[in-house]
Amino acid sequence: MIIFPQAEQRFNPYPFYMNMRNLHPIEYDDKSSAWGVFRYKDIQDILNDYENFSSDLQKWQYPEHREIQRNLITSDPPLHKQLYNQISSPFNSNIISELEYRIKEIAKEILDHVIEYGHMDLITDLAYPLPLRVIAELLGIPPEDHNLHDKWVNRLVREVGGTVINPIFKGHHPNPTGNEFLFTKNYTET
């Protein structure tokens, strides 16, 4: 079962998603080795079921055993909550609202750059680089090192098996309960 809209549906994927919600709410795609979950309640249930759908990579079965350091991306509660509380204060709504003007400036700079090319991909050209740039500035990383910061973030996400980029696993790897991890899309290019 194909769980991603086809190229011709790219600008209007809503009928595809409505069909999936109604007829195929949970489907496995052999081609991408990924599960598609299309109903909000199902997604909420999965995200809150740490026993069967764990983010803790230490619980997963690996082709070769290696130690994975647990962090915010690769942990379940209560450790996840402890780590989140340690880093969340700089990102509270009051501080973010104070940054609103700077965030708009950064977005304008990114869009001005995109305009030079005459086309854009929303995710690649705006949604991905904008938070990276804001976080780099919050951390005090000088502009000349922003590209290095981006590379480090990408590498960190890849190496810990993040849910966006995951070249470590090829095929599905069940967690100890026998349920496949539903949110991993296996990319091989990097």
Side-chain angles (χ1 to χ4, degrees), residues 39-63:
R39 290 186 181 154
Y40 179 82
K41 184 178 180 331
D42 294 331
I43 293 167
Q44 286 300 109
D45 290 346
I46 289 166
L47 291 174
N48 291 311
D49 184 354
Y50 313 113
E51 188 68 32
N52 292 309
F53 303 99
S54 178
S55 294
D56 186 346
L57 298 182
Q58 295 292 37
K59 295 178 182 177
W60 293 18
Q61 297 174 3
Y62 290 93

mmCIF file of all heavy atoms in Angstrom, residues 39-63:
data_model
loop_
_atom_site.group_PDB
_atom_site.id
_atom_site.type_symbol
_atom_site.label_atom_id
_atom_site.label_comp_id
_atom_site.label_asym_id
_atom_site.label_seq_id
_atom_site.Cartn_x
_atom_site.Cartn_y
_atom_site.Cartn_z
ATOM 1 N N ARG A 39 -5.103 8.723 11.272
ATOM 2 C CA ARG A 39 -6.135 9.276 12.159
ATOM 3 C C ARG A 39 -5.487 9.857 13.401
ATOM 4 O O ARG A 39 -4.619 9.247 14.017
ATOM 5 C CB ARG A 39 -7.147 8.210 12.546
ATOM 6 C CG ARG A 39 -8.023 7.784 11.397
ATOM 7 C CD ARG A 39 -9.093 6.832 11.872
ATOM 8 N NE ARG A 39 -9.923 6.408 10.752
ATOM 9 C CZ ARG A 39 -10.593 5.269 10.719
ATOM 10 N NH1 ARG A 39 -10.550 4.445 11.745
ATOM 11 N NH2 ARG A 39 -11.317 4.963 9.671
ATOM 12 N N TYR A 40 -5.961 11.034 13.767
ATOM 13 C CA TYR A 40 -5.398 11.774 14.905
ATOM 14 C C TYR A 40 -5.394 10.914 16.168
ATOM 15 O O TYR A 40 -4.384 10.828 16.861
ATOM 16 C CB TYR A 40 -6.198 13.063 15.117
ATOM 17 C CG TYR A 40 -5.707 13.887 16.273
ATOM 18 C CD1 TYR A 40 -4.619 14.743 16.116
ATOM 19 C CD2 TYR A 40 -6.310 13.808 17.520
ATOM 20 C CE1 TYR A 40 -4.147 15.500 17.174
ATOM 21 C CE2 TYR A 40 -5.845 14.556 18.579
ATOM 22 C CZ TYR A 40 -4.777 15.407 18.410
ATOM 23 O OH TYR A 40 -4.310 16.141 19.463
ATOM 24 N N LYS A 41 -6.523 10.285 16.478
ATOM 25 C CA LYS A 41 -6.602 9.500 17.711
ATOM 26 C C LYS A 41 -5.587 8.357 17.704
ATOM 27 O O LYS A 41 -4.946 8.085 18.721
ATOM 28 C CB LYS A 41 -8.000 8.960 17.932
ATOM 29 C CG LYS A 41 -8.106 8.222 19.274
ATOM 30 C CD LYS A 41 -9.476 7.706 19.566
ATOM 31 C CE LYS A 41 -9.584 6.980 20.884
ATOM 32 N NZ LYS A 41 -8.431 6.298 21.392
ATOM 33 N N ASP A 42 -5.420 7.694 16.563
ATOM 34 C CA ASP A 42 -4.433 6.615 16.473
ATOM 35 C C ASP A 42 -3.025 7.148 16.722
ATOM 36 O O ASP A 42 -2.223 6.520 17.422
ATOM 37 C CB ASP A 42 -4.494 5.934 15.105
ATOM 38 C CG ASP A 42 -5.805 5.195 14.876
ATOM 39 O OD1 ASP A 42 -6.424 4.737 15.851
ATOM 40 O OD2 ASP A 42 -6.201 5.086 13.698
ATOM 41 N N ILE A 43 -2.732 8.297 16.147
ATOM 42 C CA ILE A 43 -1.407 8.903 16.337
ATOM 43 C C ILE A 43 -1.196 9.250 17.808
ATOM 44 O O ILE A 43 -0.139 8.950 18.378
ATOM 45 C CB ILE A 43 -1.243 10.144 15.434
ATOM 46 C CG1 ILE A 43 -1.230 9.726 13.967
ATOM 47 C CG2 ILE A 43 0.026 10.917 15.803
ATOM 48 C CD1 ILE A 43 -1.374 10.870 12.986
ATOM 49 N N GLN A 44 -2.199 9.858 18.431
ATOM 50 C CA GLN A 44 -2.102 10.196 19.861
ATOM 51 C C GLN A 44 -1.891 8.930 20.689
ATOM 52 O O GLN A 44 -1.072 8.920 21.608
ATOM 53 C CB GLN A 44 -3.366 10.934 20.324
ATOM 54 C CG GLN A 44 -3.450 12.356 19.850
ATOM 55 C CD GLN A 44 -2.290 13.197 20.343
ATOM 56 O OE1 GLN A 44 -1.427 13.562 19.569
ATOM 57 N NE2 GLN A 44 -2.249 13.477 21.610
ATOM 58 N N ASP A 45 -2.649 7.875 20.399
ATOM 59 C CA ASP A 45 -2.494 6.623 21.138
ATOM 60 C C ASP A 45 -1.082 6.077 21.015
ATOM 61 O O ASP A 45 -0.476 5.634 21.992
ATOM 62 C CB ASP A 45 -3.498 5.571 20.638
ATOM 63 C CG ASP A 45 -4.936 5.895 21.011
ATOM 64 O OD1 ASP A 45 -5.166 6.779 21.873
ATOM 65 O OD2 ASP A 45 -5.845 5.271 20.417
ATOM 66 N N ILE A 46 -0.528 6.119 19.813
ATOM 67 C CA ILE A 46 0.825 5.621 19.586
ATOM 68 C C ILE A 46 1.845 6.473 20.331
ATOM 69 O O ILE A 46 2.746 5.957 20.993
ATOM 70 C CB ILE A 46 1.131 5.575 18.076
ATOM 71 C CG1 ILE A 46 0.318 4.458 17.418
ATOM 72 C CG2 ILE A 46 2.627 5.391 17.826
ATOM 73 C CD1 ILE A 46 0.271 4.527 15.914
ATOM 74 N N LEU A 47 1.709 7.787 20.220
ATOM 75 C CA LEU A 47 2.667 8.674 20.878
ATOM 76 C C LEU A 47 2.656 8.533 22.396
ATOM 77 O O LEU A 47 3.654 8.804 23.059
ATOM 78 C CB LEU A 47 2.405 10.124 20.483
ATOM 79 C CG LEU A 47 2.727 10.480 19.037
ATOM 80 C CD1 LEU A 47 2.275 11.907 18.728
ATOM 81 C CD2 LEU A 47 4.214 10.320 18.759
ATOM 82 N N ASN A 48 1.536 8.103 22.951
ATOM 83 C CA ASN A 48 1.422 7.959 24.403
ATOM 84 C C ASN A 48 1.635 6.528 24.881
ATOM 85 O O ASN A 48 1.559 6.268 26.078
ATOM 86 C CB ASN A 48 0.059 8.482 24.876
ATOM 87 C CG ASN A 48 -0.027 9.982 24.740
ATOM 88 O OD1 ASN A 48 0.866 10.697 25.174
ATOM 89 N ND2 ASN A 48 -1.085 10.465 24.111
ATOM 90 N N ASP A 49 1.904 5.608 23.977
ATOM 91 C CA ASP A 49 2.119 4.205 24.336
ATOM 92 C C ASP A 49 3.609 3.887 24.269
ATOM 93 O O ASP A 49 4.111 3.304 23.312
ATOM 94 C CB ASP A 49 1.317 3.307 23.379
ATOM 95 C CG ASP A 49 1.414 1.832 23.740
ATOM 96 O OD1 ASP A 49 2.177 1.459 24.657
ATOM 97 O OD2 ASP A 49 0.721 1.031 23.072
ATOM 98 N N TYR A 50 4.334 4.287 25.320
ATOM 99 C CA TYR A 50 5.795 4.127 25.344
ATOM 100 C C TYR A 50 6.213 2.664 25.453
ATOM 101 O O TYR A 50 7.320 2.313 25.071
ATOM 102 C CB TYR A 50 6.407 4.897 26.511
ATOM 103 C CG TYR A 50 5.870 6.289 26.618
ATOM 104 C CD1 TYR A 50 5.078 6.670 27.691
ATOM 105 C CD2 TYR A 50 6.123 7.226 25.629
ATOM 106 C CE1 TYR A 50 4.570 7.952 27.775
ATOM 107 C CE2 TYR A 50 5.623 8.507 25.706
ATOM 108 C CZ TYR A 50 4.843 8.864 26.787
ATOM 109 O OH TYR A 50 4.336 10.117 26.863
ATOM 110 N N GLU A 51 5.321 1.826 25.958
ATOM 111 C CA GLU A 51 5.652 0.414 26.109
ATOM 112 C C GLU A 51 5.773 -0.271 24.753
ATOM 113 O O GLU A 51 6.707 -1.021 24.498
ATOM 114 C CB GLU A 51 4.578 -0.277 26.951
ATOM 115 C CG GLU A 51 4.911 -1.703 27.322
ATOM 116 C CD GLU A 51 6.076 -1.807 28.276
ATOM 117 O OE1 GLU A 51 6.267 -0.905 29.109
ATOM 118 O OE2 GLU A 51 6.808 -2.801 28.170
ATOM 119 N N ASN A 52 4.836 0.005 23.848
ATOM 120 C CA ASN A 52 4.821 -0.660 22.545
ATOM 121 C C ASN A 52 5.473 0.133 21.428
ATOM 122 O O ASN A 52 5.860 -0.436 20.417
ATOM 123 C CB ASN A 52 3.372 -0.983 22.142
ATOM 124 C CG ASN A 52 2.776 -2.030 23.040
ATOM 125 O OD1 ASN A 52 3.356 -3.084 23.252
ATOM 126 N ND2 ASN A 52 1.619 -1.730 23.610
ATOM 127 N N PHE A 53 5.566 1.454 21.578
ATOM 128 C CA PHE A 53 6.125 2.311 20.538
ATOM 129 C C PHE A 53 7.154 3.231 21.174
ATOM 130 O O PHE A 53 6.950 4.430 21.325
ATOM 131 C CB PHE A 53 5.016 3.116 19.840
ATOM 132 C CG PHE A 53 3.958 2.237 19.251
ATOM 133 C CD1 PHE A 53 2.766 2.018 19.913
ATOM 134 C CD2 PHE A 53 4.182 1.600 18.039
ATOM 135 C CE1 PHE A 53 1.796 1.193 19.372
ATOM 136 C CE2 PHE A 53 3.216 0.773 17.496
ATOM 137 C CZ PHE A 53 2.030 0.567 18.165
ATOM 138 N N SER A 54 8.263 2.676 21.517
ATOM 139 C CA SER A 54 9.283 3.377 22.274
ATOM 140 C C SER A 54 10.192 4.221 21.385
ATOM 141 O O SER A 54 10.501 3.851 20.260
ATOM 142 C CB SER A 54 10.133 2.354 23.025
ATOM 143 O OG SER A 54 11.159 2.991 23.740
ATOM 144 N N SER A 55 10.617 5.349 21.922
ATOM 145 C CA SER A 55 11.663 6.153 21.277
ATOM 146 C C SER A 55 13.040 5.780 21.813
ATOM 147 O O SER A 55 14.048 6.257 21.317
ATOM 148 C CB SER A 55 11.420 7.646 21.542
ATOM 149 O OG SER A 55 10.238 8.060 20.925
ATOM 150 N N ASP A 56 13.075 4.946 22.839
ATOM 151 C CA ASP A 56 14.326 4.537 23.468
ATOM 152 C C ASP A 56 15.001 3.473 22.608
ATOM 153 O O ASP A 56 14.603 2.314 22.586
ATOM 154 C CB ASP A 56 14.041 3.994 24.868
ATOM 155 C CG ASP A 56 15.304 3.671 25.640
ATOM 156 O OD1 ASP A 56 16.399 3.598 25.030
ATOM 157 O OD2 ASP A 56 15.205 3.488 26.863
ATOM 158 N N LEU A 57 16.021 3.894 21.874
ATOM 159 C CA LEU A 57 16.694 2.992 20.944
ATOM 160 C C LEU A 57 17.370 1.819 21.634
ATOM 161 O O LEU A 57 17.658 0.814 20.990
ATOM 162 C CB LEU A 57 17.694 3.763 20.094
ATOM 163 C CG LEU A 57 17.106 4.848 19.204
ATOM 164 C CD1 LEU A 57 18.191 5.503 18.370
ATOM 165 C CD2 LEU A 57 16.014 4.308 18.314
ATOM 166 N N GLN A 58 17.634 1.929 22.939
ATOM 167 C CA GLN A 58 18.241 0.809 23.658
ATOM 168 C C GLN A 58 17.284 -0.390 23.698
ATOM 169 O O GLN A 58 17.710 -1.517 23.852
ATOM 170 C CB GLN A 58 18.598 1.220 25.087
ATOM 171 C CG GLN A 58 19.660 2.277 25.165
ATOM 172 C CD GLN A 58 21.029 1.779 24.717
ATOM 173 O OE1 GLN A 58 21.168 0.990 23.790
ATOM 174 N NE2 GLN A 58 22.052 2.253 25.366
ATOM 175 N N LYS A 59 15.994 -0.144 23.541
ATOM 176 C CA LYS A 59 15.007 -1.224 23.583
ATOM 177 C C LYS A 59 14.850 -1.928 22.244
ATOM 178 O O LYS A 59 14.238 -2.980 22.168
ATOM 179 C CB LYS A 59 13.643 -0.670 24.016
ATOM 180 C CG LYS A 59 13.620 -0.137 25.431
ATOM 181 C CD LYS A 59 12.252 0.431 25.749
ATOM 182 C CE LYS A 59 12.211 1.018 27.137
ATOM 183 N NZ LYS A 59 10.905 1.631 27.436
ATOM 184 N N TRP A 60 15.358 -1.333 21.186
ATOM 185 C CA TRP A 60 15.171 -1.894 19.850
ATOM 186 C C TRP A 60 16.154 -3.017 19.606
ATOM 187 O O TRP A 60 17.231 -3.073 20.185
ATOM 188 C CB TRP A 60 15.378 -0.828 18.786
ATOM 189 C CG TRP A 60 14.357 0.257 18.773
ATOM 190 C CD1 TRP A 60 13.488 0.583 19.774
ATOM 191 C CD2 TRP A 60 14.109 1.164 17.721
ATOM 192 N NE1 TRP A 60 12.724 1.638 19.390
ATOM 193 C CE2 TRP A 60 13.078 2.021 18.137
ATOM 194 C CE3 TRP A 60 14.654 1.333 16.465
ATOM 195 C CZ2 TRP A 60 12.590 3.036 17.339
ATOM 196 C CZ3 TRP A 60 14.171 2.345 15.673
ATOM 197 C CH2 TRP A 60 13.145 3.179 16.105
ATOM 198 N N GLN A 61 15.820 -3.887 18.683
ATOM 199 C CA GLN A 61 16.732 -4.949 18.277
ATOM 200 C C GLN A 61 17.561 -4.451 17.101
ATOM 201 O O GLN A 61 17.025 -3.947 16.126
ATOM 202 C CB GLN A 61 15.938 -6.182 17.868
ATOM 203 C CG GLN A 61 15.131 -6.756 19.002
ATOM 204 C CD GLN A 61 14.236 -7.881 18.527
ATOM 205 O OE1 GLN A 61 14.258 -8.270 17.368
ATOM 206 N NE2 GLN A 61 13.441 -8.407 19.425
ATOM 207 N N TYR A 62 18.860 -4.606 17.195
ATOM 208 C CA TYR A 62 19.766 -4.142 16.153
ATOM 209 C C TYR A 62 20.434 -5.320 15.464
ATOM 210 O O TYR A 62 20.699 -6.328 16.101
ATOM 211 C CB TYR A 62 20.879 -3.269 16.750
ATOM 212 C CG TYR A 62 20.395 -1.946 17.241
ATOM 213 C CD1 TYR A 62 20.007 -1.769 18.560
ATOM 214 C CD2 TYR A 62 20.329 -0.875 16.379
ATOM 215 C CE1 TYR A 62 19.556 -0.553 19.007
ATOM 216 C CE2 TYR A 62 19.888 0.350 16.813
ATOM 217 C CZ TYR A 62 19.502 0.506 18.131
ATOM 218 O OH TYR A 62 19.060 1.713 18.556
ATOM 219 N N PRO A 63 20.765 -5.159 14.159
ATOM 220 C CA PRO A 63 21.558 -6.201 13.502
ATOM 221 C C PRO A 63 22.915 -6.365 14.188
ATOM 222 O O PRO A 63 23.402 -7.461 14.353
ATOM 223 C CB PRO A 63 21.744 -5.690 12.077
ATOM 224 C CG PRO A 63 20.787 -4.575 11.908
ATOM 225 C CD PRO A 63 20.420 -4.074 13.267
#
